[in-house]
Amino acid sequence: MNIISHTKADPQRQGLTSIKLNLRLIIGKIDALLLRRKTRRELAKLPDYLLKDIGVSRVDALREAEKSFWQS
């Protein structure tokens, strides 16, 4: 016969799990913001013929590059 015991989850452990999840979400958001900043800078560096190839004018590329990293 198998005996199954049910124990309550440790509240402190649940709190740490919640903190880890929140940290992962925050780090993910920071990574996304840094990637946005990097891609905007790279867009501004592209030559005109590549911008034309992707359908973006130089003015639009520079305008996008001037945005702060937190702006969509």
Side-chain angles (χ1 to χ4, degrees):
M1 177 189 292
N2 291 338
I3 299 175
I4 300 174
S5 64
H6 295 283
T7 58
K8 290 186 177 182
D10 181 15
Q12 186 175 11
R13 187 174 183 152
Q14 285 179 341
L16 289 175
T17 301
S18 177
I19 291 170
K20 286 180 185 177
L21 178 61
N22 288 336
L23 284 175
R24 285 183 183 155
L25 292 173
I26 291 168
I27 290 169
K29 184 67 173 176
I30 290 170
D31 282 344
L33 292 172
L34 293 174
L35 179 61
R36 182 183 295 165
R37 181 179 71 170
K38 179 182 176 185
T39 55
R40 284 180 173 162
R41 288 179 178 178
E42 293 300 318
L43 179 67
K45 294 178 187 177
L46 289 177
D48 289 335
Y49 76 94
L50 288 178
L51 290 173
K52 183 178 178 183
D53 193 42
I54 61 172
V56 177
S57 71
R58 169 66 51 201
V59 172
D60 289 339
L62 293 175
R63 187 177 298 130
E64 187 67 26
E66 288 175 358
K67 288 183 181 179
S68 299
F69 64 92
W70 61 83
Q71 294 176 309
S72 297

